[in-house]
Structure formats: C-alpha cells, structure tokens
C-alpha cells in the first residue's frame, strides 16, 4: 500500500468517526414509533409532518431565521469595517487587535453567555430578540473578519489609485471597485455568521426570550424534558441546511482565493 | 460645505457637456517640491515648469525621485513642502479624484470585475456623463487604440499589450488636461514597447494633454519627449530637449545614463585643452569655447559619444586637427547594423567606438588601431571641480 493510499484511508476513517454519530439521527427521525430508537424494519415521515404542523416548532424556526439574518447582517457590516481598519494597522498593535477580535473563538461560549447575560440584565436586553441578535453578531465577528481580511490581503491597492486618479471619491471606490473584488469573501463571512447564529444554543438558552425560543433552544428543551422524536426530524433539517450553507460559504471563500 | 458641493457639481457639468472638445493641456508648475520618507529625502526641492501640451519625461534610475514626484502630482502623496500648480491654481491639497487627470500605471491597474467598456467608461461614470453619450465616447477611445472589437472582454482575457491599450483609452477618454504615465511600457516586451510608443505619441498629438511620463528607459525618453528631466538623488540633474540632452550633457551622470559615452578624465590646460594622465593633449569643443574663463588649470572631464569616433589603421595619416589615440582592441560586439569595439588606450583606460558594420570587415581582438574624433564632438562636462566626476 502506498503512503498516499494509506493517508486517504486514514482520512476516510477519521471522517466517518466524526460524521457517523451525527448521521445516526437520520434513521431515528424516520422511526415510526414514539421513541428515540432506531428501527430498521419500517419507517415513516410522521415526525417531519409533525414538525411542520406544530406551531411551536415553526415559530422557533422563524425566530431562529430572523435572529440569524439580523445577526449575520450586523456581523458582516461590522466585520468588513473591522477588516478594513485592520489592513491599515501594523506592528505590535495589529497583533493585539487580531487577538482581541479572535477572543469569541477562544473563550468558552458558556462564559460568554453568562457574561453577556449579566450585562444584558443591567441594560434590559436579557430575554429579548434584539439582545440575542447583538450577542450573536459580536461573537460571529471573527468569522467575518477572517475571510474578508484574506480577500483584502489579495486586493491590489493600485486599483484604488487608478480609481481615484480617474475621479472616484472614497465611497465610489469602495462600492464600485473594492467591494466587487472582495464580494466572495464578504459573502462567505456572512454565511458563516448566519450558520453560527442559526446553530448556536448556549448563549440562546441564556438570552432568548422564554416565549420565543430559537430552534436549538426548543430542541434542547425537547430532548431534556420529553421523549419526542420530532426533535430528530428537526435535527435532520438543521443538519441539511447547515451543510448546504457551509458548503456554499466554503466554495465562495475558495473562489475569492482564486480570483485574488 | 454647500459652496464646495455646488462648485464640484458645476465642474462636473462642464466636463460632461463638452466632452469632444479637446481641452488642450494644462500648465504644470512645481515649486520647491520636497518629500522625504523617514530620514531619506526622496524628492529634494524640485522646481519644474511644464508648458501646456508639452510631453515631459522624468528620467532616472530607480530611487531617483521621479516616481515620488509623479505620485505627488497625481495627489497620491502629500508633499512635505512646496507647491503644485495647474494653470496657476494651487492643487497641492486637492485629493487625486478632484485634480481631473488621467493616469496609466505600469501594472495596468484595470478593474478585473468590469468589462473593457466599463473600464474605459469609468472616468465618464464618475463625471456623471449620460449613458448614451458615454457609450459613443468609450467606443471612440477604444477605436483610437484599435481595440473596438474587444469591448465586452474582461481584462483577464486580454494580453499585456491589449491591457495597457485599454488602460491608455481609460486614461484619455475624458480628455484630461494632464495625463500621467508611470512606466507604462515597463512590463511589456520590446516589440510591443515600440508599437505602443508610437501609439502614445499619436494619442498625445490627438488629445493635446500635457503629459508627464516617468521611465528609466532612455530610448523611450529620447523618442517621445519634448523635454526630459533627468533625476538623480531627488533632484533634477539636467532639463533639456532630447537632442540637447544627448549632444550637450551637463554632467557625466547624464552622459552615461543617456546613451553610451566615453568619459575622458584629465586636467584642463592653460591653452584650453584636456591633458590625459599619460600626457596626451586633446582639443575639445567648438574652436575657442570657454578658453577665456579657464584661467586656472584643474581637473576636467570630456564626453565623446562612441558613434562620433572613427577607427583607422596605424599606417593611415590622421587629418590634422583631429584628436587621436592609439589602442589595442579588447572586445568586439556585433549588433547587427552597428558594431561596438572596445579599445585599451593605455593606463587601464577604455574607449568604446560604435561603427557601421561593413560587410565582412572585423576588428580582431589584439589588433592595434588608431581612434580619432573631431574636437567639436568632445563635450566639456566641467572644467574645475565636478562633484559628480567619475572616471571610466
């Protein structure tokens, strides 16, 4: 066996080890009985049916999408601006800034959740959708800054000079020249931010409104408080949509890398 | 604030409604222009006046300050001190997009996400020219660079020469009174350079803009320019027409940067000749030029162009009055139409002669020949101390 084939096999096995436990929910969701077991003999789509019939699940889905869209837009605007600002900073200060923008990735989410919860209690934002949007947007910032910075580092600054020599002011330069060039990076960042917010459960448990839980919060409650296979159907839907969005985001960032 | 806005829109309106009229060129005046980077002075107190419609080349080696000067004229860099005036109006503090210029860059700097037509139309779009009018002006500019048929391509689909033609069309489509070019041919091969040179010259005649052209290529400078400013260490070393620059270099730096040259270093004698270190005296310059002002003998330098020198056999008697040295051929380079012959004339001094390559004739290495030139072909670089004096 060649080294290359061995590498491929090892990679495949590790991949299966990572993915298989997740995929177990697919047969569970098709289980015809009211239990979280796997049935190999027969199957049904009743739990998916239930998901789309039950207003609790549908409301949670709507809340999640609304929060994720707002958080993603906010994070994309702020993150793109931050990436532009970072471009102009060099030296030690740049490293400090890079590290501070990356903190949401490094700090355990539970700590962020608790910290933000106490801050929001004081500001009256705890338990509101706006509060959750803010929290998700801030923690999604590094997911936007990273691909946008990568796109900017490949951006040829002489295009800015060309545009301004031909009569374009700063705003026109940004919208007509720079943004179309870095658009794949910005879109990738937006999608990553969307999926981050859509899937996030820890901060959502602390911060979301009790009357309007997000989908992950409802799933968490469902698993811990009852035995309802609808949660398996919800999981499959979340898994499928997240996979599509992440693949799209990855394809976009690769496109950005090529066109640079 | 309100005044500024209305002024801006008025300027735009004027450019927009008279697009086909050639504005002609602007008069560009630089006074005391200075810029340093850290402790390095890149441009050192430069004064320069460029006449309307003139083609001015800034020539010099890299790091001589020519590009920094251009970037200050464009508005990309603020001068530390000094002023930049367009037709007597101080533009030193105007941003680049308010200076109404056109610019061509060495790396083309076309917008990759736009088609050729959108690239060329970009200056018109900034000036709020109506779409229908924009279209016809863009097509006219593309016709001028013979690329009308490629209007729907993306820059990445074009060759280097085509990209630079598009960049040229984009820089002139709005008929800027001042056109700046930063080594526009630097990234192209020789054949393309030659054809684009003639295109640039034709466009300059047609549009009538004042052109500031930065290059380190002496051939480009000589064939395109009305005047050349040779830069060295952030200063203008010499400012003259191409032929004066070549025939009458003022320093040995200019002489060696522009074309090949033989630089003879020696001492100035009381009767107005140059005495070489081996004692030979050569007569230089117009018969009596400068004799009077040279009361003191001192170090002196004379430049003679290789093509002004002739090689003869030792047996032939030189015409009286010509300067002659005897040397041994140490190198012969065949260049097609001409041939460069290098001779050692003693004391480690080297003379290079350019002669037409006659059929079959060669100058074998090791042969002793006489090299002669007319006194009028020797140009005094300096008599007395020359701070830039270099021996060759």
């Amino acid at each position: 066996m060649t080294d290359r084939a061995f590498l491929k096999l090892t990679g495949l096995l590790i991949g299966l080890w990572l993915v298989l436990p997740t995929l177990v929910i697919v047969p569970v969701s098709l289980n015809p009985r009211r239990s979280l077991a796997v049935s190999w003999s027969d199957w049904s789509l009743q739990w998916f049916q239930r998901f789309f019939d039950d207003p609790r699940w549908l409301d949670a889905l709507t809340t999640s999408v609304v929060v994720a869209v707002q958080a993603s837009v906010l994070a994309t605007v702020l993150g793109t601006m931050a990436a532009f600002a970072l471009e102009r900073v060099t030296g030690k200060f740049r490293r400090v800034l890079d590290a501070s923008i990356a903190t949401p990735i490094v700090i355990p989410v539970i700590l962020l959740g608790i910290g933000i919860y106490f801050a929001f209690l004081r500001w009256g934002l705890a338990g509101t959708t706006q509060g959750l949007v803010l929290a998700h947007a801030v923690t999604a910032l590094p997911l936007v800054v990273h691909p946008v910075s990568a796109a900017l580092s490949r951006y040829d600054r002489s295009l800015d000079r060309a545009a301004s020599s031909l009569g374009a002011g700063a705003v026109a330069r940004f919208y007509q020249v720079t943004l179309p060039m870095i658009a794949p990076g910005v879109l990738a960042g937006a999608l990553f931010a969307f999926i981050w917010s859509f899937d996030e459960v820890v901060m959502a448990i602390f911060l979301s409104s009790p009357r309007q839980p997000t989908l992950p919060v409802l799933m968490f409650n469902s698993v811990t408080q009852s035995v309802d296979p609808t949660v398996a159907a919800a999981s499959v839907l979340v898994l499928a949509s997240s996979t599509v969005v992440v693949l799209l985001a990855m394809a976009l960032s690769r496109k950005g890398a090529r066109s640079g | 604030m309100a005044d500024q806005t209305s002024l801006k829109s008025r300027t735009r309106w004027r450019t927009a409604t008279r697009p086909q009229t050639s504005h002609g060129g602007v008069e560009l005046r630089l006074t005391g222009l200075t810029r340093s980077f850290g402790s390095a002075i890149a441009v050192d107190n430069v004064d320069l006046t460029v006449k309307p419609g003139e083609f001015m080349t800034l020539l010099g080696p890299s790091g001589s300050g020519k590009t920094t000067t251009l970037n200050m004229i464009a508005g990309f860099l603020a001068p530390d001190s000094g002023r930049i005036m367009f037709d007597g109006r101080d533009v030193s503090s105007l941003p680049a997009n308010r200076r109404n210029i056109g610019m061509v860059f060495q790396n083309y700097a076309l917008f990759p996400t736009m088609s050729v037509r959108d690239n060329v139309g970009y200056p018109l779009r900034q000036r709020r020219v109506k779409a229908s009018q924009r279209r016809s002006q863009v097509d006219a500019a593309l016709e001028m660079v013979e690329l009308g048929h490629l209007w729907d391509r993306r820059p990445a689909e074009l060759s280097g020469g085509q990209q630079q033609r598009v960049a040229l069309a984009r820089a002139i489509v709005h008929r800027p009174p001042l056109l700046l070019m930063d080594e526009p041919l630097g990234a192209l091969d020789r054949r393309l350079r030659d054809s684009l040179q003639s295109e640039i010259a034709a466009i300059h005649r047609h549009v009538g803009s004042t052109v500031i052209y930065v290059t380190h290529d002496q051939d480009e400078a000589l064939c395109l320019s009305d005047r050349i400013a040779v830069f060295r260490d952030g200063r203008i070393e010499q400012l003259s027409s191409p032929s004066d620059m070549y025939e009458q270099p003022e320093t040995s730096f200019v002489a060696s940067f522009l074309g090949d040259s033989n630089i003879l270093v020696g001492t100035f004698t009381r009767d107005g000749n140059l005495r070489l270190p081996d004692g030979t005296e050569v007569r230089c310059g117009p018969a009596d030029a400068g004799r009077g002002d040279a009361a003191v003998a001192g170090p002196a330098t004379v430049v003679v162009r290789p093509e002004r020198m002739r090689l003869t056999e030792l047996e032939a008697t030189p015409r009286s009055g010509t300067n002659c040295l005897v040397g041994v051929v140490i190198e012969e380079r065949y260049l097609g139409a001409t041939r460069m012959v290098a001779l050692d004339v003693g004391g480690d001094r080297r003379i290079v002669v350019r002669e037409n390559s006659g059929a079959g004739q060669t100058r074998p290495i090791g042969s002793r020949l006489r090299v002669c030139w007319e006194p009028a072909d020797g140009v005094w670089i300096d008599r007395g101390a020359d701070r830039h004096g270099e021996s060759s």
Side-chain angles (χ1 to χ4, degrees), chain A residues 159-232:
Chain A
L159 295 181
D160 278 343
R161 287 191 162 191
S164 63
S165 76
L166 299 171
V171 176
R173 278 202 300 276
F174 175 76
Y175 283 108
Q176 296 165 355
V177 178
T178 316
L179 192 57
M181 292 288 288
I182 62 166
V186 173
L187 263 177
L191 290 178
F192 282 130
F194 177 89
I195 222 64
W196 158 255
S197 165
F198 188 71
D199 287 356
E200 202 283 323
V201 64
V202 179
M203 277 184 289
I205 287 175
F206 281 98
L207 300 171
S208 67
S209 147
R211 282 180 309 277
Q212 282 183 305
T214 64
L215 189 56
V217 171
L218 191 62
M219 286 161 69
F220 180 78
N221 291 342
S222 161
V223 170
T224 50
Q225 292 160 16
S226 64
V227 182
D228 178 1
T230 315
V231 76

Side-chain angles (χ1 to χ4, degrees), chain B residues 93-104:
Chain B
S93 55
L94 274 187
N97 57 307
R98 301 281 303 280
R99 295 194 184 186
N100 198 21
I101 55 175
M103 186 153 178
V104 181

